[in-house]
Amino acid sequence: MESYKVVRPEHLNHFGYLFGGFTLMWVDEISWIAASRDYPGCSFVTVSMDKVEFRRGVHQGTVLRFVARESSQGNTSVEYEVQVFADDLETGAEEAIFQTHIRFVCLDAAGKKTPLPRG
């Protein structure tokens, strides 16, 4: 799944760069949407995110492109690799700024782990 966000003034820290927390929130949200679309009927919650390392600062007005792809599946959980790119709208170039793996677990109505549906 691919999605986009525009970095707005309310996303900036006191140095004028994107707060890392917004990036993490967007990664969580976009990959949750991908998992929910891939596994209809599952109620997913985030259980982990691996390495968090921001490669460079991002300024206001930057368009971020998020790519979420399923990377592994367990009995009750699924993992997505998420890559984030900063697009330069003037040149068309883009630069990778962040990458992580995020894992979700499927829960039933009582909040207990439940098996993922098998296709």
Side-chain angles (χ1 to χ4, degrees), residues 6-70:
V6 176
V7 178
R8 301 185 185 282
E10 60 268 23
H11 303 138
L12 304 179
N13 65 23
H14 58 291
F15 293 114
Y17 291 99
L18 173 63
F19 266 115
F22 280 108
T23 305
L24 299 177
M25 178 183 70
W26 294 330
V27 163
D28 190 21
E29 178 182 55
I30 290 165
S31 54
W32 175 86
I33 292 168
S36 297
R37 293 184 73 218
D38 289 345
Y39 297 91
C42 284
S43 295
F44 285 111
V45 294
T46 307
V47 292
S48 67
M49 187 181 295
D50 74 357
K51 187 176 182 181
V52 174
E53 181 179 331
F54 302 99
R55 295 186 182 142
R56 75 164 179 88
V58 175
H59 293 285
Q60 177 181 331
T62 301
V63 173
L64 299 178
R65 182 170 70 95
F66 296 78
V67 179
R69 293 186 182 98
E70 185 176 329

Side-chain angles (χ1 to χ4, degrees), residues 69-111:
R69 293 186 182 98
E70 185 176 329
S71 57
S72 68
Q73 179 188 28
N75 184 43
T76 61
S77 65
V78 63
E79 182 178 273
Y80 281 76
E81 176 185 36
V82 183
Q83 296 173 297
V84 184
F85 301 90
D87 288 344
D88 184 328
L89 297 179
E90 290 184 24
T91 66
E94 70 177 9
E95 182 179 355
I97 62 158
F98 185 77
Q99 179 178 342
T100 193
H101 288 85
I102 186 166
R103 182 167 291 276
F104 300 96
V105 67
C106 183
L107 301 179
D108 65 16

